[in-house]
């Protein structure tokens, strides 16, 4: 897809994507020329739909090389090519979607080559479709290098956390199947490397439809049976 060149004066109210006008992508130094990547706009729209947003706000779009240097860049970054945006995304009720969630969903889509949280409040996200030897997954509180290969583990976000925004169903996550002979759920959990405390077993029980967990033989036996079948759901 092409990178289009617009004139702010002539095209400011034209939509360069379904939800974005040229004026929103304009460099903050007031320049007339605005570069916008069609690939970037298409990718942002897919993210918008995935998150079921009510709207999003671009905080930085195209940057002239001089302005990019002024704000701490090197004058050659993806913003100067029209291939990057910094943006905030808002849910169906108009509430800000945390950057941690946006980063995870953008990662899942697999259509961005650069994704990063860019502020201490975890409000804004950098997204780009620039050519890179390796994808950039960053947290710019700590610099502009990649900090992870998986935002889920880095931000400690679960699929269930993300599903609250995407509305997608999350398949159960099961414990590793237990193949030993113990009659103790505590021993069985320990043997597969899982936590076995009473408080955690209470959470396991709840996740598996066992109500009012007291640690009774019947309740523990049911959990052990499920564990042996490989069907004990993780909380």
């Amino acid at each position: 897809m092409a990178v289009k060149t617009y004139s702010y004066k002539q095209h400011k109210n034209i939509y360069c994507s379904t939800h974005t006008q040229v004026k929103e992508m304009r460099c903050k130094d007031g320049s007339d020329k605005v570069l916008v990547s069609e690939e970037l706009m298409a990718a942002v729209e897919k993210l918008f739909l995935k998150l079921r947003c009510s709207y999003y706000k671009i905080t930085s779009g195209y940057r002239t090389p001089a302005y990019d240097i002024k704000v701490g860049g090197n004058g050659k970054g993806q913003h100067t090519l029209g291939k990057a945006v910094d943006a905030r995304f808002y849910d169906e009720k108009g509430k800000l979607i945390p950057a941690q969630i946006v980063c995870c969903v953008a990662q899942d889509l697999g259509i961005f080559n650069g994704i990063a949280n860019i502020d201490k409040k975890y409000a804004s996200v950098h997204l780009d479709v620039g050519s890179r030897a390796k994808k950039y997954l960053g947290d710019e509180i700590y610099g502009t290098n990649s900090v992870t290969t998986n935002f889920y583990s880095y931000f400690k976000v679960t699929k269930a956390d993300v599903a609250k925004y995407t509305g997608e169903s999350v398949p159960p996550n099961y414990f590793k199947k237990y193949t030993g002979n113990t009659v103790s759920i505590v021993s069985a959990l320990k043997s597969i490397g899982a936590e076995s405390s009473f408080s955690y077993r209470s959470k396991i029980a709840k996740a598996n439809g066992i109500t009012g967990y007291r640690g009774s033989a019947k309740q523990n036996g049911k959990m052990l049976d499920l564990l042996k079948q490989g069907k004990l759901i993780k909380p």
Side-chain angles (χ1 to χ4, degrees):
M1 294 184 184
V3 174
K4 289 192 172 183
T5 301
Y6 295 95
S7 162
Y8 173 76
K9 292 179 181 178
Q10 296 179 44
H11 307 122
K12 64 181 179 180
N13 292 320
I14 288 177
Y15 280 85
C16 48
S17 76
T18 303
H19 296 94
T20 304
Q21 291 176 288
V22 169
K23 61 185 177 184
E24 297 173 75
M25 291 292 290
R26 186 191 192 190
C27 181
K28 293 185 183 300
D29 68 1
S31 299
D32 183 62
K33 184 175 78 171
V34 185
L35 298 182
V36 182
S37 162
E38 291 180 313
E39 180 184 1
L40 173 66
M41 290 291 95
V44 173
E45 287 295 332
K46 288 181 180 178
L47 179 58
F48 178 96
L49 293 173
K50 187 79 170 178
L51 287 166
R52 301 188 298 174
C53 294
S54 56
Y55 69 100
Y56 67 90
K57 181 179 180 181
I58 293 174
T59 58
S60 182
Y62 170 65
R63 297 176 188 166
T64 62
Y67 185 76
D68 189 55
I69 292 172
K70 182 179 179 180
V71 297
N74 61 10
K76 300 177 182 179
Q78 301 304 325
H79 284 276
T80 68
L81 304 175
K83 294 184 176 183
V85 294
D86 298 339
R88 297 181 178 186
F89 293 80
Y90 296 83
D91 67 16
E92 294 174 306
K93 296 181 179 179
K95 185 177 179 181
L96 178 71
I97 301 174
Q100 297 97 319
I101 299 294
V102 178
C103 286
C104 287
V105 175
Q107 173 187 292
D108 285 344
L109 285 173
I111 53 179
F112 295 99
N113 289 328
I115 309 166
N117 168 62
I118 59 174
D119 63 59
K120 291 181 179 180
K121 293 183 178 180
Y122 292 92
S124 299
V125 174
H126 167 89
L127 302 162
D128 75 59
V129 294
S131 299
R132 299 175 184 274
K134 187 177 180 181
K135 286 191 176 185
Y136 166 50
L137 302 183
D139 185 350
E140 295 187 1
I141 296 172
Y142 306 107
T144 55
N145 295 316
S146 286
V147 295
T148 186
T149 57
N150 189 323
F151 277 126
Y152 282 93
S153 57
Y154 178 76
F155 287 130
K156 295 181 173 58
V157 170
T158 68
K159 291 289 186 179
D161 295 329
V162 165
K164 294 175 184 177
Y165 296 90
T166 63
E168 296 176 339
S169 59
V170 181
N173 186 14
Y174 297 102
F175 284 101
K176 178 183 176 181
K177 185 176 181 179
Y178 173 68
T179 58
N181 298 316
T182 185
V183 294
S184 166
I185 185 62
V186 172
S187 297
L189 288 170
K190 286 181 178 179
S191 73
I192 62 169
E195 185 180 340
S196 61
S197 67
F198 180 84
S199 61
Y200 189 61
R201 281 183 280 125
S202 296
K203 293 178 182 179
I204 297 173
K206 184 177 180 180
N208 287 272
I210 301 171
T211 59
Y213 182 73
R214 303 181 305 280
S216 69
K218 182 177 180 180
Q219 292 169 326
N220 287 341
K222 183 174 181 180
M223 285 198 288
L224 184 58
D225 286 342
L226 290 170
L227 188 61
K228 288 180 176 179
Q229 296 172 49
K231 295 181 179 180
L232 187 65
I233 301 170
K234 291 183 178 180

